Amino acid sequence: MQNFDAATVTYKFLAPFRGEAVSPPPVWLMRQAGRYLPEYRATRAEAGSFLDLCYNPKLAAEVTLQPIRRYGFDASILFSDILVVPDALGQSVRFAEGEGPRLDPIRDVAGLARLDLSKTGSKFALVWETVARLRQDLPPETCLIGFCGAPWTVATYMVEGRGSSDQAEARSWAYRDPDGFAQLIEVLTDASITYLSGQIEAGANVLQIFDSWAGSLAEDEFERWVIAPTTKIVRALRARYPHVPIMGFPKGATSQLKSFVAATGVDGVSCDTSCPLSIMRDVADAGKVVQGNLDPLLLVAGGAALDRRVDEILAALKGRPFIFNLGHGIVPETPPEHVAQLVKRVRRGA
Ligand code: 1CP
């Protein structure tokens, strides 16, 4: 367990990182800002494209604050996207309406010439400005989470040119030419360290590294493309900012969760919906913070089924360093009143 300094200990959100179980636990939700909120849709329309919103500090801060105003979550997450990193590196990213991200794919070492680490500064600076604004505008008790995508997951989008269900192009490149693919992972690892360091300097109190596609890799590949780069990021940040906790999210990799936590040195992990509560308990008993893992579709369903599962999760993790969250992001179909129901239920004992 890290020794987090006095400047950050006032946040309830950080208590689990000091090994304290708090009841009720802190609560926030992945994608708590987003299309399920009418006020988000209005700001998004005002901003223009999705990336215009990410690079507009005033509007990005506004959409970050919207769910805090509505629900009073214990933490807010910087509004941005994991694909800001390839965009800032020079592989321009577009978000086609209703279709998700599009990039001109990089499929081999020659394509890496399009990336330039020294050019990331101007775009990263806009995100850091959002963080600085947020730390000023957020309620003093609300923790601010900075984030990036893990190198493996970001690479899958850069190599496929879009989201995919099997990450086949990235996995194929990694098998065909592991040393070439390692160069892409290295650029992303270095860019991520720069990007996250800037977020901490600007005021982020905690970090989360999203590895949404960690579950598609074989054991040795998981070690090389997930564990190794994550470990490098954690070590670099820990050396400079020992007081800032770092959460990992190796989604879909429950069978590797314990080795991921032990090897990378993260302070905690987000657990996806398929992760058994018994495994979350084991990870917490090993001294790490666990976060999760309500099915986002139960939040769409609402009603007694939602309350029942919230109660089950709370009971299973009671007395352990735990943060209430979903197993993945809020989906656009979610009725906002179900989010209010969830927060009320989690805080029922308060
Ligand atoms: O039209 C819109 O308004 C775009 C929808 C949207 C939103 C709200 C996208 C496009 N990104 C985001 C914000 C976002 N993305 C946040 C903001 C903070 C919050 O949680 O409130 C964060 C942390 C992310 C992270 C992200 N982006 C991940 C990792 C987490 C996860 O969901 O697995 C990934 C994989 C992305 C890529 C991405 N960005 C957007 C979409 C639709 C996708 C997924 C594409 C695919 O299907 O593969």
Side-chain angles (χ1 to χ4, degrees):
M1 196 67 48
Q2 292 294 116
N3 185 16
F4 298 112
D5 78 1
T8 52
V9 294
T10 52
Y11 298 108
K12 169 182 168 175
F13 190 82
L14 294 185
F17 295 97
R18 299 191 302 272
E20 292 168 27
V22 277
S23 183
V27 54
W28 73 285
L29 304 177
M30 289 188 269
R31 289 273 169 102
Q32 62 193 26
R35 281 178 294 174
Y36 77 106
L37 288 179
E39 59 269 36
Y40 170 83
R41 295 195 295 270
T43 312
R44 167 90 159 75
E46 188 188 331
S49 77
F50 175 71
L51 273 184
D52 287 338
L53 176 55
C54 294
Y55 292 133
N56 183 323
K58 183 165 168 278
L59 296 184
E62 165 57 24
V63 293
T64 309
L65 291 164
Q66 287 168 350
I68 304 303
R69 287 190 201 114
R70 260 191 197 249
Y71 307 114
F73 290 116
D74 295 292
S76 99
I77 181 161
L78 159 71
F79 188 86
S80 182
D81 195 79
I82 64 165
L83 299 178
V84 158
V85 169
D87 188 67
L89 282 166
Q91 185 188 15
S92 66
V93 177
R94 309 172 295 285
F95 279 84
E97 202 54 58
E99 283 180 29
R102 294 286 181 273
L103 304 84
D104 296 325
I106 292 177
R107 297 264 160 94
D108 53 28
V109 155
L112 298 180
R114 284 158 51 199
L115 306 178
D116 188 345
L117 205 51
S118 70
K119 291 228 173 89
T120 52
S122 59
K123 285 186 170 165
F124 283 179
L126 295 168
V127 177
W128 298 334
E129 193 184 327
T130 307
V131 173
R133 266 177 184 266
L134 280 167
R135 202 46 285 167
Q136 285 213 320
D137 294 351
L138 278 165
E141 70 277 13
T142 312
C143 211
L144 177 55
I145 305 171
F147 76 92
C148 73
W152 162 250
T153 286
V154 176
T156 66
Y157 288 93
M158 297 173 78
V159 178
E160 302 281 339
R162 57 197 299 162
S164 72
S165 56
D166 58 6
Q167 299 79 51
E169 292 292 345
R171 285 159 58 210
S172 300
W173 178 2
Y175 282 127
R176 196 172 63 238
D177 173 22
D179 293 344
F181 188 71
Q183 291 179 40
L184 172 58
I185 293 293
E186 197 180 325
V187 171
L188 288 170
T189 303
D190 293 345
S192 302
I193 292 167
T194 303
Y195 186 51
L196 292 176
S197 298
Q199 292 182 32
I200 296 172
E201 299 279 348
N205 311 111
V206 188
L207 299 174
Q208 177 147 325
I209 302 172
F210 288 89
D211 218 341
S212 307
W213 300 115
S216 66
L217 291 170
E219 196 175 356
D220 290 353
E221 307 298 296
F222 185 83
E223 169 67 40
R224 183 157 187 192
W225 309 125
V226 169
I227 290 189
T230 304
T231 306
K232 191 173 167 194
I233 294 171
V234 171
R235 284 205 184 130
L237 294 169
R238 174 94 12 95
R240 288 186 221 166
Y241 310 103
H243 59 289
V244 176
I246 305 172
M247 304 282 293
F249 183 22
K251 185 173 174 293
T254 299
S255 59
Q256 317 247 42
L257 197 62
K258 290 177 191 171
S259 51
F260 172 89
V261 169
T264 60
V266 289
D267 301 290
V269 275
S270 241
C271 300
D272 67 55
T273 297
S274 70
C275 181
L277 295 175
S278 58
I279 292 186
M280 291 174 67
R281 271 201 301 261
D282 290 349
V283 173
D285 288 343
K288 300 292 181 173
V289 176
V290 288
Q291 174 177 276
N293 73 345
L294 187 89
D295 190 337
L297 294 184
L298 255 181
L299 200 52
V300 178
L306 173 61
D307 284 346
R308 205 164 40 239
R309 184 62 183 165
V310 168
D311 292 352
E312 268 170 22
I313 294 173
L314 289 173
L317 276 310
K318 196 174 167 62
R320 294 179 166 86
F322 170 62
I323 294 168
F324 199 97
N325 205 329
L326 303 177
H328 202 192
I330 294 183
V331 298
E333 301 73 35
T334 306
E337 59 275 18
H338 290 181
V339 177
Q341 178 191 337
L342 165 87
V343 173
K344 195 167 162 217
R345 192 77 183 182
V346 172
R347 291 184 173 157
R348 201 166 44 140

